[in-house]
Structure formats: structure tokens, C-alpha cells
Amino acid sequence: MSKRILVSSLIGAVNLGGIAAGGLATASAATEPTLENGAARYVAPSNGNAGALTFTVDAGDHSGIRSLKVLAWPASSGLDPTEAELRYVESATCRSTTAEMSHCTYTLRATKEEAAELAEGTWYVSALATAKDGDTTFVSRAATFNVTH
């Protein structure tokens, strides 16, 4: 950093006070997308209606959210998906709530026949958030739910 830029920054910090200096430090820090308030729910088919897995999460990044990839998998399968593998799975539908935050929902419907083939027990949801600036965050176990027949 040149001395001229450093001196200008120090003068600005003195003139604007400690709050401005903190703001400069925060503005220059790179951030990765965040996933908050994630929850998964499975409802078994009944009375002729399809069942469904629904995963919701609030995703955020300073540049906004481009996409959220989601994969549900049974704990008994021994799978442990990687970030690279999640690049090729289905996407959630994300709706912007602010310039930086989106509420994302992934729904997978299952007929009675399809649901009967699902492994009973604990399931996990893996998620891969991609920001508009290209940064990513991978969460291997973003949520847990149970499947019962």
C-alpha cells in the first residue's frame, strides 16, 4: 500500500471517527454465502395425496444469491456428498427478500409407490449456495429429517 493511500485513510479515519474506520475494514472483507434457519420436513403420502420433502433456508451474500443446489439422502446409505457433486443436482427456488438475502425452498413430491421405496430413518439435506459474485458455501448436513412409512 502506498504511503499516500495510507495517510489518506488515516486522515479519513481521524475525521470520521472510529465508526468510519470500522466500516472501511468491514467493506473490504470478502464474504462467502451464508445459510440460516434451514429446516426440512417430510410428509408421507396419504388419502391419495402425494407426499413431499420440503427444505427451506435463508441464503445471503453481499452480492446476492445466484443459486442453491439441494440433495436429500438417507443416513443409512453411507453417502457423504461433496461440493463438486452438488453442482449437478436439482436447484431450490430462491426469492429475493432484500438485495443480499433470499428465501429458498426445495420441494420434492413423492407418490405413495415412490415413498414406499424410500429408506426409513434419518435423512440429511446437503446444500450448495452460489453467490452472484461466484463465491460458494457447501453444507454437507444443512438439515435432518425422518422418513417413516
Side-chain angles (χ1 to χ4, degrees):
M1 181 180 284
S2 75
K3 289 181 182 180
R4 183 173 40 158
I5 293 173
L6 182 58
V7 170
S8 296
S9 295
L10 291 175
I11 291 171
V14 169
N15 287 339
L16 298 176
I19 294 173
L24 290 173
T26 302
S28 66
T31 62
E32 293 181 346
T34 60
L35 297 177
E36 302 172 356
N37 307 317
R41 181 174 172 220
Y42 173 74
V43 175
S46 64
N47 299 326
N49 295 322
L53 158 66
T54 304
F55 171 67
T56 59
V57 69
D58 295 320
D61 185 77
H62 68 279
S63 69
I65 295 297
R66 179 186 311 151
S67 68
L68 180 74
K69 300 287 191 163
V70 178
L71 178 66
W73 50 282
S76 62
S77 71
L79 293 175
D80 197 5
T82 65
E83 179 174 343
E85 291 168 330
L86 252 69
R87 295 181 192 279
Y88 304 101
V89 300
E90 294 180 333
S91 295
T93 301
C94 296
R95 179 181 46 84
S96 295
T97 55
T98 68
E100 296 181 352
M101 294 296 296
S102 292
H103 183 74
C104 301
T105 303
Y106 172 78
T107 302
L108 179 63
R109 304 234 181 263
T111 65
K112 187 173 184 178
E113 293 77 22
E114 293 167 332
E117 295 178 13
L118 297 176
E120 282 194 288
T122 302
W123 283 58
Y124 300 115
V125 175
S126 296
L128 174 63
T130 303
K132 289 182 179 177
D133 64 7
D135 290 342
T136 61
T137 294
F138 170 67
V139 181
S140 64
R141 292 187 174 120
T144 303
F145 64 97
N146 287 308
V147 171
T148 59
H149 297 285

